[in-house]
């Protein structure tokens, strides 16, 4: 058994470096401070098109660590409108961009400046128009479907939802970013949705703006300092059920049949046990858990900070149909994902060579906390 003192020593050693795969690493001359992100997926409630686009924009606040004329970040599959790129200095003066280039192999995109960006100064990079299609493989910004019974027609309908999965390196599929685990920043996410949908992200909803024509813009509170791979958001017509600071979002039939009750009760107990053991309070005011049909989410569960995502068979439990083994499995998975809120999210491996910092401790606590 790992003693608490050894545990605290181990998780404090996070400033680790790696020498492998350097060719695919970003330059270490720029650090993002904050991202302002906006996404608008083109959704209908029963959309069945093979290609469903979304449009986005990002504003990055950057600190320059070494003088440079290049801003290099990660991008994969995205289409970026070069004319929408702007770089501003700290007083808001626009600086001249002379060229852009993309490296598909290294999944990087470079904005080349006419003048040098100066060490220790802050700049703003705006990319006001990028787009992609929603993935159908459960990676990046993806789409999924579920069946819902329509009382009026007496038939089951296919319903659409969209969500994200970014671990280990798929945030770059969804938006331009510095997509390495050690490069932490804060995020302010906005999601534009149509009437009949709702949205969710890592932090609590801060405001909703009516844009007219049945469109609404939901903006969420600023996140803690975090890695891109733990960022998450979703848009759906799901319903929700809450207990304390926990909320589970699922299809309406699961809410109606009380299939979220066990997970809610277990989550409250698990988070309390982890706070007491570590002596470190959970840093976000709320903890959402989203249930997605298994066929669209092959990862079982993902520990996104403040918004864990599960395949629904691993989170929802029926008193009528499920066995004791099913209840135990859900308890273990909840303990694992909530363990990651400390081990992986709060304390993060500097590179994937050190994934044991996240996964070994979460695996240990999935049994330790479940047993408790």
């Amino acid at each position: 058994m790992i003693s608490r003192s050894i545990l605290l020593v181990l998780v404090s050693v996070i400033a680790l470096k790696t020498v492998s795969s350097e060719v695919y690493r970003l330059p270490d001359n720029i650090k993002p401070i904050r991202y302002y992100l906006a996404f608008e997926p083109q959704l209908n409630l029963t959309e069945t098109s093979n290609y469903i686009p979304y449009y986005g924009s990002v504003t990055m606040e950057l600190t320059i660590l070494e003088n440079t004329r290049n801003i290099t970040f990660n991008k994969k599959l995205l289409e970026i409108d070069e004319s929408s790129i702007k770089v501003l200095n700290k007083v808001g003066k626009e600086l001249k961009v002379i060229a852009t280039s993309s490296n598909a192999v290294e999944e990087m995109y470079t904005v080349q400046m006419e003048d040098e960006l100066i060490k220790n100064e802050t700049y703003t990079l705006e990319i006001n128009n990028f787009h992609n299609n929603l993935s159908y493989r459960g990676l990046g910004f993806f789409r999924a479907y579920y069946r819902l019974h329509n009382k009026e027609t007496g038939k089951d309908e296919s319903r659409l939802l969209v969500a994200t999965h970014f671990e280990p390196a798929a945030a770059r599929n969804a938006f331009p970013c510095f997509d390495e685990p050690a490069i932490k920043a804060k995020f302010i996410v906005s999601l534009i949705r149509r009437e009949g949908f709702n949205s969710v992200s890592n932090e609590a909803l801060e405001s909703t703006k009516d844009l007219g024509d049945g469109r609404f813009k939901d903006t969420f509170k600023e996140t803690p300092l975090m890695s891109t791979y733990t960022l998450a958001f979703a848009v759906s017509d799901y319903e929700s059920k809450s207990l304390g600071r926990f909320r589970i979002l699922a299809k309406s039939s699961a809410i109606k049949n009380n299939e979220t009750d066990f997970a809610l009760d277990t989550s409250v107990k698990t988070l309390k046990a982890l706070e007491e053991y570590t002596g470190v309070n959970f840093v976000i005011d709320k903890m959402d858990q989203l249930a997605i049909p298994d066929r669209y989410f092959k990862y079982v569960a993902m520990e996104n900070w403040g918004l864990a995502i599960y395949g629904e068979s691993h989170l929802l439990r029926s008193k009528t149909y499920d066995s004791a083994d099913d209840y135990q499995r859900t308890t273990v998975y909840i303990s694992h994902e909530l363990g990651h809120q400390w081990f992986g999210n709060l304390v993060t491996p500097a590179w994937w060579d050190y994934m044991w910092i996240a996964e070994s401790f979460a695996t240990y606590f999935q049994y330790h906390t479940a047993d408790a």
Side-chain angles (χ1 to χ4, degrees):
M1 178 177 179
I2 301 175
S3 72
R4 190 171 309 184
S5 59
I6 294 175
L7 179 64
L8 292 174
V9 169
L10 286 173
V11 300
S12 67
V13 185
I14 62 171
L16 303 173
K17 298 293 183 181
T18 181
V19 295
S20 60
S21 303
E22 290 293 334
V23 67
Y24 299 113
R25 301 294 295 274
L26 289 168
D28 58 2
N29 55 5
I30 296 176
K31 178 178 175 58
I33 303 168
R34 183 175 287 103
Y35 295 80
Y36 296 87
L37 287 161
F39 299 91
E40 183 172 13
Q42 304 299 293
L43 305 181
N44 294 313
L45 285 172
T46 56
E47 178 68 69
T48 57
S49 172
N50 288 332
Y51 300 99
I52 303 176
Y54 69 89
Y55 299 90
S57 64
V58 60
T59 296
M60 306 181 206
E61 295 177 3
L62 308 173
T63 295
I64 306 303
L65 305 179
E66 297 293 340
N67 290 1
T68 181
R69 281 189 168 84
N70 293 334
I71 302 174
T72 300
F73 50 84
N74 294 114
K75 177 198 83 86
K76 182 179 181 181
L77 302 177
L78 292 170
E79 295 293 332
I80 292 178
D81 178 359
E82 294 181 10
S83 67
S84 76
I85 297 174
K86 294 181 180 180
V87 179
L88 310 173
N89 66 13
K90 63 182 179 181
V91 297
K93 178 183 177 181
E94 186 173 349
L95 307 179
K96 187 174 182 179
V97 175
I98 60 173
T100 62
S101 61
S102 183
N103 186 323
V105 174
E106 296 185 359
E107 300 175 1
M108 295 183 191
Y109 190 94
T110 297
V111 176
Q112 186 177 351
M113 309 301 300
E114 180 177 64
D115 297 322
E116 199 166 49
L117 305 179
I118 306 303
K119 180 179 179 178
N120 295 329
E121 293 291 316
T122 58
Y123 297 84
T124 300
L125 169 63
E126 295 181 3
I127 303 175
N128 292 305
N129 185 12
F130 63 85
H131 64 91
N132 199 355
N133 289 316
L134 292 165
S135 167
Y136 55 87
R137 297 178 178 177
L139 193 66
F141 195 10
F142 68 91
R143 67 182 189 262
Y145 299 90
Y146 73 97
R147 306 294 293 178
L148 183 69
H149 185 72
N150 187 321
K151 292 182 179 180
E152 294 181 1
T153 65
K155 298 179 180 180
D156 286 345
E157 293 181 348
S158 178
R159 310 288 275 193
L160 173 67
L161 66 103
V162 295
T164 57
H165 181 83
F166 292 157
E167 188 183 31
R172 65 190 69 181
N173 296 39
F175 63 98
C177 58
F178 292 76
D179 196 16
E180 295 184 3
I183 308 179
K184 291 188 173 186
K186 296 182 178 182
F187 296 83
I188 297 174
V189 175
S190 295
L191 296 167
I192 300 174
R193 57 174 175 82
R194 299 205 67 83
E195 191 170 9
F197 286 94
N198 56 71
S199 67
V200 63
S201 190
N202 302 79
E203 268 287 0
L205 180 66
E206 185 166 64
S207 66
T208 296
K209 182 179 181 180
D210 188 344
L211 302 178
D213 195 29
R215 295 164 64 241
F216 297 86
K217 183 178 182 179
D218 294 335
T219 299
F220 297 85
K221 292 180 180 179
E222 183 177 82
T223 70
L225 202 64
M226 60 188 285
S227 304
T228 49
Y229 83 90
T230 62
L231 186 70
F233 42 87
V235 180
S236 72
D237 67 340
Y238 272 1
E239 294 183 9
S240 65
K241 193 168 186 177
S242 301
L243 181 63
R245 55 183 153 175
F246 278 90
R247 180 176 60 161
I248 293 181
L249 298 98
K251 57 190 179 184
S252 58
S253 59
I255 303 294
K256 179 181 177 181
N257 295 328
N258 298 317
E259 294 174 13
T260 61
D261 290 1
F262 178 77
L264 279 170
D265 183 62
T266 300
S267 297
V268 169
K269 294 174 181 176
T270 301
L271 194 74
K272 181 180 178 181
L274 284 162
E275 286 183 325
E276 290 176 350
Y277 185 91
T278 61
V280 179
N281 288 337
F282 185 54
V283 301
I284 296 179
D285 291 336
K286 61 89 178 177
M287 183 68 211
D288 288 332
Q289 297 178 100
L290 179 74
I292 290 180
D294 292 358
R295 63 177 294 193
Y296 298 103
F297 196 69
K298 62 184 179 182
Y299 310 99
V300 178
M302 177 61 201
E303 66 268 17
N304 312 300
W305 214 354
L307 175 57
I309 297 178
Y310 299 76
E312 61 184 7
S313 71
H314 306 297
L315 184 67
L316 306 178
R317 293 276 66 92
S318 167
K319 292 181 179 179
T320 305
Y321 301 107
D322 290 336
S323 67
D325 285 345
D326 293 324
Y327 280 86
Q328 181 172 323
R329 175 163 48 87
T330 291
T331 303
V332 168
Y333 286 149
I334 288 172
S335 296
H336 184 98
E337 302 313 322
L338 294 188
H340 270 308
Q341 306 304 304
W342 283 263
F343 305 101
N345 297 358
L346 186 61
V347 178
T348 308
W351 187 246
W352 303 111
D353 294 13
Y354 303 101
M355 198 59 188
W356 60 267
I357 289 175
E359 290 301 336
S360 65
F361 286 108
T363 301
Y364 171 76
F365 278 100
Q366 78 183 39
Y367 298 109
H368 177 278
T369 314
D371 182 66

